[in-house]
Amino acid sequence: KGVEVLFEISEKKKLAQDVYSVWVEAPKIAAHAQPGQFVIVIAEEDGERIPLTIVDKTEDNIRLIFQVVGKSTRKMATFENGDSFAHVVGPLGSPSEIDYYGTVLLIGGGIGVAPILPILKALKEKGNRVISIMGARTADLLILEDEFSQFSDKLIITTDDGSKGMKGLVTDGMKKVVSDGEEIDKAWAIGPVIMMKFATKTAQELGFPIIVSLNPIMVDGTGMCGGCRVTVGDNVKFACVDGPEFEGELVEWDELLKRLGQYKVEEKSSLEEKKK
Ligand code: FES
């Protein structure tokens, strides 16, 4: 002992193809982190900034889950237990509004189930009845099923191809929950933008409020790249500074999808490629 090693990795696990979970030693961040907040990881000196939700924490460690989408996240995936990230900065972003609402519905799509988990746990601890929907393209891509079943009063799994659970989309799961007689007081959805758009539309039809987290659109998490710009109500917001959570019905989904379709893919890959 004697030498303090910060940001050391332990319990690295592969959760699915290209999806990894790590615990990272970060006592100061762990002491302050609240559900809904994120950190910026810089894996190597001068590396890119990768914003990641704090999925869980102990006294000294935080759990992060990431998907390999480019050069920097590919590098991160090569780190093994005992290695350390160069920097981890946070906690950042506004915390989720955790309260007693009654019956809450938590909807996660793809890798979006990871940022849903801390919100789900906190809502359960507040005494809410928690219903969860996890959606994935196929059974192989489902992650965190054990954690979700542990903290949910009811869990619905949907897959696009029917390889596990209900065949269909998370919106089909939402309709089923209501047709089964549940009365939802408030919902949260995190996943691909197109999924959050339709989850919002479905929640409006079914008559309950829904919060979405726009952390999937963040690029560097600093408030400067503009990658997470979005119109909410009549205002331009930045997900990493003003969010990441917003009321789903106030988000200008079509404008966001159009902008992401045009720029996002290039933006993300060029940012990640730029770093040699
Ligand atoms: Fe770059 Fe928000 S992620 S400004």
Side-chain angles (χ1 to χ4, degrees), residues 25 51 96 100 110 152 175 192 196 217 252 264:
E25 190 171 1
S96 308
Y100 176 76
S152 306
K175 289 173 194 158
M196 292 193 281
I217 69 165
E252 294 289 342
K264 177 65 188 242

Side-chain angles (χ1 to χ4, degrees), residues 37 45 67 155:
Q37 292 189 297
E45 278 312 328
Q67 184 169 29
L155 172 63

Side-chain angles (χ1 to χ4, degrees), residues 18 57 77 106 118 124 147 157 170 181-182 207 232 241-242 245:
D18 288 336
K57 64 173 192 171
L106 285 301
K124 180 70 194 165
E147 287 90 336
I157 292 172
V170 293
E182 297 287 352
V232 181
V241 176
D242 304 306
E245 294 184 3

